[in-house]
Amino acid sequence: MPGTVLLLAASPVGKGCLVDAASVLPVLAAVAPSVLSGTDTANVVELADPLEPQAVLTRLRAAATAPGPLTVYLAGQLQLDRRQHLPHLALARTTPSTVRYTAFPWHWVREELRLRPPGTTTFFADLHADADAWQHLVSHPLTAGPGVTLYGRIAPPPPRRAVATPSYMKALATLLRSGQRPVPAQLHQHALTRAWGEGEPAGMVLAAEAQVPAASDPHAVITAAVQAGRHGEAAALAARWEQSAVRAYGPGSGQALHWMEVRADLAMFAGDPVLSCRVWLAVAAARLGAGESPDTPAVESAVDRAHHQWGSIRDAARARELGPALADLRRRVPGRREGALRHIRQHLDELGAAQLTG
């Protein structure tokens, strides 16, 4: 099965830049797609110095839902959201005071990759952290989810007014340009050795193998059903686990909400944006009803996903039906996407006009 490769380089423009992330892309782009992915053929997607978090989310989501192995090569810098103390991948417009709105939350990476079959996703990361993010990561190690193999390094902030180079990623790309692709663990170790040989600081080493669940793990069974195209079976399994969680822990419990989120993702995979939107709206309402703040990542993510699925609905009547509920939630949960509520109102106006002319 063809593989998918995502090449992503991101760093701020101006004095806030810690690393020249995009400088590695020409070296990576010179590597054959089959070598980048470790498969006979592969589709390569490149994203250089993106401006908006939604642009990164769209590319990552498309890559995560593609069948076959996925390999991500990421070079960039991490900054900390001062309000929630969560690490973010800084983008072109990111400044220390705008991290929350202009950078890409790292927990979105885990969310987008969580339903991929364990062992099919390899993530290479070459990251530089600012001072706040560095201190945070000392006690909160970076992960990409239990089913993802993550390799790389996180370097401390470079000297003042200096811009570092993604030397780990350049070493990795140089090794791959030979046309040989050792297993990821060996490739990672060779790249580290070469980078350290050039005087790079040791930093934090990322080396997390994917945790392959037992055959009895419901997530593994559901993922296998999705990969085989048995979407109805996958949805039924998730619904049964949700019902069990409700009986055992209550309807607003974290366990029950988890399975609601799984059902919403499964509806997306099955090409049913109406159902996916409905479930994400229910998840957001349940979290708010349980007392979670409108700016918590889980609430924001649920509303953002409902919004994204609503925009994919082609049945105008269904879109008009769900629009008001989404708008009500957007008033409470504006999220990070500027003008999100305005977008809903404009689209509802368009749908109303289309109904009149139809």
Side-chain angles (χ1 to χ4, degrees):
M1 186 176 291
T4 299
V5 176
L6 176 60
L7 308 180
L8 172 57
S11 57
V13 174
K15 62 181 182 179
C17 181
L18 302 180
V19 58
D20 184 9
S23 65
V24 76
L25 286 178
V27 190
L28 283 169
V31 179
S34 60
V35 178
L36 286 171
S37 67
T39 58
D40 291 339
T41 60
N43 301 310
V44 179
V45 179
E46 181 178 312
L47 193 56
D49 287 329
L51 299 176
E52 301 291 343
Q54 289 296 326
V56 181
L57 180 61
T58 298
R59 297 295 179 87
L60 178 61
R61 181 168 293 166
T65 55
L70 169 63
T71 308
V72 179
Y73 296 86
L74 168 64
Q77 75 182 56
L78 293 175
Q79 293 183 217
L80 205 63
D81 168 14
R82 293 174 176 174
R83 184 172 180 180
Q84 295 181 323
H85 303 288
L86 295 172
H88 286 57
L89 177 68
L91 305 183
R93 295 174 177 166
T94 300
T95 65
S97 61
T98 65
V99 170
R100 177 172 166 76
Y101 302 100
T102 62
F104 186 79
W106 185 262
H107 61 268
W108 286 7
V109 172
R110 296 192 299 271
E111 289 176 3
E112 294 304 320
L113 299 180
R114 66 179 175 168
L115 282 186
R116 284 191 55 79
T120 64
T121 308
T122 305
F123 203 121
F124 292 102
D126 188 347
L127 299 163
H128 284 69
D130 71 1
D132 291 340
W134 180 260
Q135 290 299 319
H136 174 82
L137 293 168
V138 169
S139 55
H140 300 81
L142 201 69
T143 68
V148 178
T149 297
L150 174 64
Y151 288 115
R153 64 87 182 252
I154 304 174
R160 187 174 177 83
R161 294 191 176 85
V163 177
T165 60
S167 55
Y168 167 84
M169 192 63 70
K170 284 189 174 181
L172 190 144
T174 301
L175 291 165
L176 291 175
R177 285 186 66 179
S178 68
Q180 302 296 316
R181 192 183 195 275
V183 296
Q186 292 179 349
L187 179 60
H188 162 68
Q189 194 58 52
H190 292 332
L192 276 181
T193 301
R194 179 172 291 205
W196 288 343
E198 296 175 358
E200 275 289 307
M204 300 177 189
V205 175
L206 302 172
E209 296 283 351
Q211 300 173 17
V212 180
S216 59
D217 186 317
H219 297 86
V221 178
I222 289 170
T223 298
V226 172
Q227 291 294 307
R230 302 192 305 272
H231 297 288
E233 177 185 332
L237 286 169
R240 286 204 293 272
W241 278 96
E242 181 186 342
Q243 291 165 5
S244 297
V246 169
R247 288 194 297 269
Y249 304 103
S253 64
Q255 294 87 341
L257 288 171
H258 166 75
W259 286 108
M260 287 179 70
E261 292 173 344
V262 170
R263 285 201 301 111
D265 278 336
L266 291 175
M268 177 189 69
F269 291 142
D272 188 347
V274 174
L275 177 58
S276 185
C277 179
R278 285 187 191 279
V279 180
W280 280 121
L281 288 173
V283 170
R287 289 191 176 279
L288 289 169
E292 293 188 34
S293 171
D295 64 354
T296 57
V299 174
E300 286 187 342
S301 177
V303 179
D304 286 345
R305 286 167 179 255
H307 194 158
H308 183 270
Q309 290 300 298
W310 183 69
S312 302
I313 296 173
R314 296 292 171 260
D315 186 325
R318 294 293 185 89
R320 284 194 296 270
E321 174 191 347
L322 292 171
L326 178 60
D328 287 343
L329 269 176
R330 268 298 181 213
R331 291 187 188 96
R332 299 177 64 186
V333 188
R336 302 157 187 260
R337 183 179 175 185
E338 187 176 352
L341 179 58
R342 183 172 64 252
H343 168 265
I344 296 171
R345 289 169 174 164
Q346 290 174 345
H347 191 41
L348 281 173
D349 288 343
E350 293 167 0
L351 291 169
Q355 182 181 29
L356 291 174
T357 57

